């Protein structure tokens, strides 16, 4: 976390630099089923973050020695495109992406019914196209929707969101400036009924602040959940709507 | 309407005994496990919109020979798991060195799942007069989640198609379909089956299929 520079102000007239209130999420957009080759896929925009998630499987495990006899294994690959940040990121896995892959996998695994598919693997690929703080939360949100789209049995969805502390004040879903120059950033992931599957923190907060920040982040996750849910349900309704107007045409042809 | 789109974790009922396929019970309440359509009858079943075929004992399926080993043919069954067809499950007695002559790699077979164990070892059989090698016709692949709609209630859709299309059709539980008839009839059958796959989860499907059939037939004559 950067030092709290005296000439940086995070608030103007009680609003944040991008005009949000302290407890407001960035605009969220989710599209389901955007990749034809993947079994399930999702594209998400969370503010300036643009992330694609693709799910393959359950499928045969390669290399063989990784397979588990009683359950499916879950592999999660978080990757940042070299053009996703201001200064070109050296492509390929690094320590940060290994860590994020691990914690994200562990955030999703508890809800997936891996015992339904012994000796198989569920592969989740998350590609960050554009980063603007909170890419792991965007990745988890997209992955959860993509898993549902792939028809994988889950006990519930997973929604993820961060809360942070900037200029001495708690904020929901920090953007890049707040993340870089703020005092703390705390991403969480949880089920809609409030069970937390991911909790990380970078920086400093008091105990009371942590409690409040956790409540804020949980509120954010609930909002994310509603958008995830709507995206999935809209996808089905769209599919149906596309078919019904097609239906009018043959009837018109008959009249002629 | 007793059908509803649901996502994983949606509360479906407060009566645990109504839990059906694609659901689970927690604290005496029924929740959805899948993204799909919930059917509210005595039991609540959730039909997925996507997903892989998982073999279960007794399924009739279409497989393709992938490899030949000492005493087994390894069969691709459109699933995360391979099928094993033991030589003794072939209707005739075959010597081990003759195996690759009888069923060569790439051969399509109509087969049945004899047994699946807890580690998902899938044993297949050809020991039935209805089963055997597919020598003529075409095999097409759709998502296995669409198979129930293609068959219809009590086989209504499939028997209608067989009658109207002049084709012999066999629908494998794994989403592979074998059609056999004249080239023209098979082309039409292919179109219809892909139409059913695309529109599988909409209501009034049978009527739409019949309309489409009539239209195509008129265009042909």
């Amino acid at each position: 976390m950067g030092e709290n520079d005296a000439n940086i102000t995070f608030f103007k007239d009680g609003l944040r630099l991008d005009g949000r209130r302290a407890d407001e999420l960035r605009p969220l957009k989710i599209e389901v089923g955007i990749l034809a080759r993947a079994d399930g896929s999702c594209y998400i925009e969370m503010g300036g973050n643009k992330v694609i998630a693709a799910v393959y499987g359950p499928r045969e495990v390669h290399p063989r020695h990784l397979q588990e006899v009683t359950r499916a294994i879950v592999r999660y690959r978080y990757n940042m495109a070299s053009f996703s940040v201001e200064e070109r990121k050296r492509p390929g896995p690094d320590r940060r992406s290994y860590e994020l892959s691990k914690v994200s996998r562990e955030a999703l695994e508890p809800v997936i019914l891996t015992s339904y598919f012994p000796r198989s693997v569920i592969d989740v690929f998350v590609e960050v196209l554009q980063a603007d703080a909170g890419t792991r939360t965007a990745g988890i949100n997209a992955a959860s929707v993509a898993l549902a789209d792939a028809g994988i049995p889950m006990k519930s969805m997973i929604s993820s969101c961060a809360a942070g502390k900037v200029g001495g004040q708690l904020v929901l879903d920090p953007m890049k400036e707040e993340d870089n120059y703020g005092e703390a950033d705390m991403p969480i992931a949880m089920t809609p009924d409030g069970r937390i599957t991911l909790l990380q923190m970078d920086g400093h907060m008091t105990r009371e602040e942590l409690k409040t920040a956790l409540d804020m982040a949980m509120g954010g996750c609930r909002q994310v959940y509603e958008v995830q849910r709507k995206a999935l349900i809209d996808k089905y309704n769209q599919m149906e709507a596309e078919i019904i107007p097609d239906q009018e045409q043959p009837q018109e042809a008959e009249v002629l | 309407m007793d059908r509803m789109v649901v996502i994983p974790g949606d509360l479906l009922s407060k009566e645990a005994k109504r839990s059906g396929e694609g659901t689970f019970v927690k604290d005496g309440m029924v929740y959805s496990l899948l993204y799909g359509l919930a059917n509210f009858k005595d039991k609540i079943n959730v039909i997925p919109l996507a997903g892989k075929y998982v073999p279960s004992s007794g399924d009739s399926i279409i497989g393709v020979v992938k490899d030949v080993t000492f005493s087994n043919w390894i069969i691709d069954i459109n699933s995360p798991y391979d099928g094993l067809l033991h030589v003794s499950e072939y209707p005739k007695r075959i010597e081990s060195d003759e195996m690759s002559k009888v069923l060569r790699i790439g051969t399509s077979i109509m087969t049945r799942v004899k047994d699946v164990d807890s580690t998902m070892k899938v044993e297949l059989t050809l020991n039935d007069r209805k089963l055997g090698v597919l020598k003529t016709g075409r095999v097409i692949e759709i998502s296995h989640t669409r198979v129930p709609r293609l068959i219809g209630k009590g086989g209504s859709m499939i028997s209608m198609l067989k009658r109207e299309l002049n084709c012999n059709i066999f629908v494998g539980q794994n989403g592979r379909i074998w059609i056999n008839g004249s080239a023209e009839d098979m082309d039409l059958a292919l179109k219809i089956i892909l139409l059913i796959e695309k529109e599988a989860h909409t209501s009034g499907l049978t009527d739409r299929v019949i309309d489409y059939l009539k239209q195509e037939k008129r265009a042909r004559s």
Side-chain angles (χ1 to χ4, degrees):
Chain A
M1 288 290 127
E3 289 304 305
N4 191 8
D5 215 317
N7 48 29
I8 295 176
T9 47
F10 291 102
F11 296 94
K12 240 183 207 164
D13 312 324
L15 293 177
R16 291 202 254 168
L17 296 176
D18 57 358
R20 281 185 291 159
R21 281 175 277 111
D23 63 344
E24 199 175 333
L25 286 176
R26 289 175 285 180
L28 183 57
K29 195 181 109 188
I30 300 181
E31 272 177 65
V32 189
I34 49 145
L35 302 174
R37 303 273 173 273
D39 295 312
S41 56
C42 174
Y43 171 70
I44 190 169
E45 282 180 20
M46 260 175 108
N49 293 304
K50 295 183 177 177
V51 177
I52 285 184
V55 170
Y56 291 81
R59 62 181 180 183
E60 240 177 286
V61 190
H62 288 291
R64 267 311 221 317
H65 69 268
L66 293 175
Q67 90 180 8
E68 295 271 347
V69 183
T70 54
R71 63 179 193 93
I73 61 166
V74 179
R75 285 192 295 216
Y76 189 108
R77 193 182 98 121
Y78 167 97
N79 186 46
M80 274 178 117
S82 54
F83 51 79
S84 63
V85 277
E86 266 171 35
E87 192 148 343
R88 181 185 134 92
K89 183 201 170 280
R90 220 183 106 123
D94 51 19
R95 194 173 66 181
R96 192 182 96 93
S97 70
Y98 271 114
E99 178 195 316
L100 295 194
S101 300
K102 178 182 180 290
V103 295
S104 304
R105 186 191 75 233
E106 287 170 356
L108 292 166
E109 240 179 343
V111 295
I112 302 174
L113 279 114
T114 51
S115 61
Y116 277 37
F117 307 102
R119 292 199 303 131
S120 68
V121 58
I122 297 165
D123 275 313
V124 184
F125 298 97
V126 169
E127 295 288 326
V128 179
L129 305 179
Q130 182 174 294
D132 191 80
T135 52
R136 81 196 71 185
T137 60
I140 291 168
N141 290 330
S144 164
V145 173
L147 282 164
D149 182 43
I152 287 165
M154 294 190 285
K155 283 186 196 150
S156 77
M157 300 289 289
I158 293 287
S159 311
S160 180
C161 179
K165 184 183 170 192
V166 290
Q169 199 176 331
L170 295 175
V171 293
L172 184 64
D173 191 19
M175 73 246 181
K176 188 164 170 279
E177 292 78 10
E178 292 170 331
D179 188 34
N180 288 164
Y181 302 105
E183 290 113 89
D185 175 30
M186 183 182 74
I188 72 160
M190 68 170 208
T191 63
D193 60 356
R195 274 192 267 198
I196 290 170
T197 60
L198 167 95
L199 187 116
Q200 291 185 299
M201 189 168 80
D202 186 4
H204 301 282
M205 276 190 220
T206 65
R207 283 178 181 220
E208 279 64 40
E209 280 170 341
L210 187 117
K211 272 184 196 153
T212 324
L214 193 59
D215 280 342
M216 275 173 92
M218 286 173 84
C221 287
R222 287 198 184 91
Q223 290 177 48
V224 171
Y225 171 73
E226 290 306 323
V227 182
Q228 288 175 313
R229 188 188 160 73
K230 192 170 174 294
L232 282 166
I233 290 182
D234 281 356
K235 187 206 170 192
Y236 174 80
N237 290 337
Q238 245 172 41
M239 233 159 56
E240 197 162 43
E242 269 170 32
I243 290 161
I244 304 303
D246 279 349
Q247 180 42 27
E248 310 294 318
Q249 286 154 10
Q251 282 174 348
E252 278 167 19
E254 267 178 41
V255 177
L256 290 170
Chain B
M1 187 88 162
D2 56 354
R3 278 195 339 157
M4 203 172 93
V5 195
V6 293
I7 66 168
D10 276 4
L11 176 65
L12 299 175
S13 168
K14 287 175 180 167
E15 296 166 75
K17 62 174 192 292
R18 293 186 69 196
S19 166
E21 259 174 68
T23 67
F24 71 103
V25 177
K26 194 178 75 184
D27 304 329
M29 313 238 249
V30 184
Y31 299 88
S32 175
L33 268 180
L34 296 162
Y35 167 44
L37 288 171
N39 258 317
F40 293 85
K41 290 177 196 153
D42 285 353
K43 293 255 183 195
I44 302 168
N45 295 309
V46 179
I47 300 146
L49 296 173
K52 292 281 169 79
Y53 170 68
V54 177
S56 71
S57 173
D59 285 358
S60 295
I61 57 177
I62 293 173
V64 178
V65 179
K66 204 168 135 181
D67 202 0
V68 188
T69 64
F70 179 69
S71 58
N72 284 294
W73 285 280
I74 296 175
I75 314 288
D76 167 44
I77 54 169
N78 194 22
S79 155
Y81 309 104
D82 282 335
L84 286 176
L85 179 67
H86 194 255
V87 258
S88 61
E89 294 298 337
Y90 191 83
K92 275 188 291 186
R93 193 186 139 73
I94 289 165
E95 293 303 325
S96 191
D97 48 342
E98 302 266 278
M99 280 174 66
S100 54
K101 285 182 191 154
V102 180
L103 293 178
R104 296 171 56 167
I105 291 173
T107 313
S108 296
I109 55 169
M110 201 187 276
T111 176
R112 181 177 303 129
V113 182
K114 195 180 137 214
D115 191 36
V116 182
D117 71 5
S118 61
T119 64
M120 297 310 277
K121 190 175 91 182
V122 183
E123 290 179 70
L124 304 173
T125 180
L126 277 178
N127 264 329
D128 193 314
R129 282 201 21 232
K130 290 175 193 161
L131 307 174
V133 183
L134 301 173
K135 289 181 180 129
T136 56
R138 298 182 196 168
V139 172
I140 56 171
E141 215 171 274
I142 63 169
S143 164
H144 90 278
T145 53
R146 266 61 164 177
V147 165
R149 278 319 284 270
L150 181 56
I151 293 171
K153 254 192 200 117
S156 59
M157 178 79 87
I158 197 69
S159 52
M160 187 271 284
L161 289 180
K162 280 183 192 169
R163 204 170 53 237
E164 297 289 324
L165 289 166
N166 261 329
C167 279
N168 201 356
I169 307 175
F170 170 81
V171 185
Q173 290 294 312
N174 59 345
R176 290 213 180 110
I177 298 145
W178 175 70
I179 43 179
N180 194 19
S182 73
E184 262 192 348
D185 288 334
M186 283 198 286
D187 285 344
L188 183 56
L190 189 80
K191 271 190 201 165
I192 297 274
I193 289 167
L194 292 180
L195 175 90
I196 295 172
E197 187 195 18
K198 203 175 127 227
E199 308 190 359
H201 295 286
T202 56
S203 43
L205 179 65
T206 317
D207 295 339
R208 232 170 309 134
V209 170
I210 292 172
D211 282 350
Y212 186 79
L213 255 171
K214 275 188 199 156
Q215 199 191 326
E216 284 285 322
K217 279 193 172 170
R218 213 177 306 150
R220 256 210 272 174
S221 57

